[in-house]
């Protein structure tokens, strides 16, 4: 009995990161990479690999991860479970006829799968490129795995809206838009590693631009424009501050020439103009603040559901209605036509968070980005993480933030996958900076 007790004690005794078995690290990195590559096209493979990576990752983090500060992220998990339970409990007490039978605590806690994934990716210097590269590759081949292949691309060029079988066109645009942003933010370090990398980079940028254009997702167009303006404005101002007077003038002139060129392309492109003008009546209703006069078009449906959601938010502003709050808005709003009641969500992640989990839930979500961003920029300031990762973080924050104004991505598997893969890479960079420099 004594030997068994000693063995158990040693098994749970915390050790240093350098004592971690190599085979365990390889298994972790391999399963995370397989998950990132296979989730869009081979979900069963992804499910198995994610399960292995998840449990081994938490074990590795507990056993060998004393050097990284994972406590704050684990507290997020506990807080997520707590406020979801409180929200459900209040719904059972106040409106039991509308409440779900059991609390679904996984709806928010599943956002934190990135914690054990990040531990494995942090173990090797270049593993982050395996993770993000695998996710990128899995998306880029989606036309030939989940979609209609080259035929679907040709149909898109000829005017048909495409989605490659990734749920719907909005989710496809999210993925390809992110790849476009990622490549643009990381093109400099890629070029430094290998100048010939510009050839595949140029091809991927062209491919992503083509898909986003023929995909016809207006929120993706808007999100990319806003992201481009924010990042380009910041980098231009930063360059101006460090440059002599003549270069400052040239930079400002080039910036406005580029802005004018982009604006001209957008307002003279028939496809873009026609797609935007489909919502002219809805936009007129918004500008006149006569929301009830908006037609039930694509944006009109969103607008009507957002207005209806405000009444539910006012009724339970702190903890919300529980996970099914979003579907309750659609089902119990009497002014909606019958065909609209089948919609199970509100096409706006922030409004859904307010309806489902109230102000507490929305603050919780925003806190994740704030805390992770703060940790990241601390390491960038110390010189341990490349500044390009900071640009990527900010760019994705704006792109993802705008996209979620028109779709509830993080409440679907597509958004959960997206969030976890991105955050796993960011946290891996942060933790990598804290690990001993002798690790490979």
């Amino acid at each position: 009995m004594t030997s068994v007790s000693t063995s158990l004690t040693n098994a749970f005794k915390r050790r240093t990161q350098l004592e971690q078995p190599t085979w365990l690290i390889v298994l972790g990195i391999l399963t995370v990479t397989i998950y990132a590559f296979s989730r869009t096209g081979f979900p069963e493979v992804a499910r198995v690999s994610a399960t292995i990576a998840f449990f081994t990752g938490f074990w590795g983090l507990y056993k060998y991860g004393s050097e990284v500060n994972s406590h704050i992220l684990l507290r997020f998990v506990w807080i997520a479970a707590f406020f979801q339970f409180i929200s459900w409990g209040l719904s059972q007490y106040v409106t039991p006829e509308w409440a779900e039978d059991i609390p679904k605590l996984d709806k928010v806690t599943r956002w934190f799968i990135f914690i054990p994934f990040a531990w494995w990716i942090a173990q090797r210097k270049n593993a982050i490129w395996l993770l993000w590269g695998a996710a990128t590759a899995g998306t880029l081949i989606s036309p030939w795995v989940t979609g209609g292949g080259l035929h679907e691309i040709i149909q898109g060029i000829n005017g048909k809206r495409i989605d490659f079988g990734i749920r719907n066109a909005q989710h496809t645009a999210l993925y390809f838009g992110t790849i476009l942003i990622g490549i643009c933010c990381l093109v400099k370090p890629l070029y430094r590693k290998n100048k010939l990398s510009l050839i595949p980079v140029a091809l991927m940028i062209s491919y992503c631009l083509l898909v986003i254009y023929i995909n016809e997702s207006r929120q993706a167009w808007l999100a990319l424009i806003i992201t481009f303006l924010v990042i380009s404005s910041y980098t231009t101002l930063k360059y101006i501050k460090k440059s002599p007077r003549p270069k400052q003038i040239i930079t400002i002139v080039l910036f406005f020439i580029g802005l004018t060129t982009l604006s001209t392309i957008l307002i003279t492109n028939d496809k873009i103009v026609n797609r935007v003008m489909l919502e002219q009546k809805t936009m007129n209703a918004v500008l006149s603040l006569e929301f009830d006069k908006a037609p039930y078009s694509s944006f009109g449906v969103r607008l009507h559901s957002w207005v209806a959601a405000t009444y539910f938010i006012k009724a339970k502003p702190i903890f919300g209605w529980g996970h099914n709050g979003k579907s309750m808005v659609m089902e119990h709003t009497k002014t909606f036509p019958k065909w609209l009641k089948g919609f199970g969500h509100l096409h706006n992640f922030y409004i859904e968070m307010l309806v489902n989990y109230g102000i507490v839930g929305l603050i919780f979500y925003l806190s994740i980005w704030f805390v992770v961003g703060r940790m990241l920029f601390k390491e960038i300031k110390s010189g341990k993480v490349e500044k390009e990762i900071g640009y990527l973080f900010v760019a994705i924050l704006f792109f993802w933030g705008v996209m979620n104004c028109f779709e509830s991505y993080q409440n679907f598997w597509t958004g959960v996958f997206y969030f976890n893969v991105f955050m796993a890479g960011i946290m891996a960079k942060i933790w990598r900076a804290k690990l001993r420099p002798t690790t490979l």
Side-chain angles (χ1 to χ4, degrees), residues 80-81 84-85 100 102-113 323 357 410-411 416:
Q84 285 178 100
F85 185 82
E100 294 181 304
I102 57 173
K104 296 182 178 179
L105 305 183
D106 65 312
K107 297 303 179 179
V108 175
T109 52
R110 63 180 178 171
W111 299 350
F112 297 94
I113 295 173
H323 174 70
Y357 305 115
Q410 204 151 338
N411 288 328
V416 172

Side-chain angles (χ1 to χ4, degrees), residues 121-135:
I121 300 303
Q123 301 309 302
R124 293 293 182 265
K125 183 179 179 181
N126 294 318
I128 185 175
W129 308 120
L130 280 176
L131 173 68
W132 285 348

Side-chain angles (χ1 to χ4, degrees), residues 14 32 58 63 97 109 121 124-125 181 234 243 261 264 278 287 290 300 345 360 395 406 409 411 440:
R14 302 198 75 181
V32 173
F58 265 125
K63 181 79 173 177
E97 69 278 10
T109 52
I121 300 303
R124 293 293 182 265
K125 183 179 179 181
I181 291 171
Y234 173 78
S243 303
T261 302
T264 303
L278 286 174
L287 293 173
E290 296 177 323
H345 62 103
V360 169
F406 303 96
Y409 291 104
N411 288 328
L440 298 176

Side-chain angles (χ1 to χ4, degrees), residues 16 18 43 48 150 155 182 196 202 216 230 286 294 347 375 395 404 438:
T16 67
L18 293 177
V48 174
L150 184 61
Q155 284 183 315
L196 291 177
E216 297 186 10
V230 170
V286 172
H347 295 91
M375 289 191 288
N404 270 292
T438 51

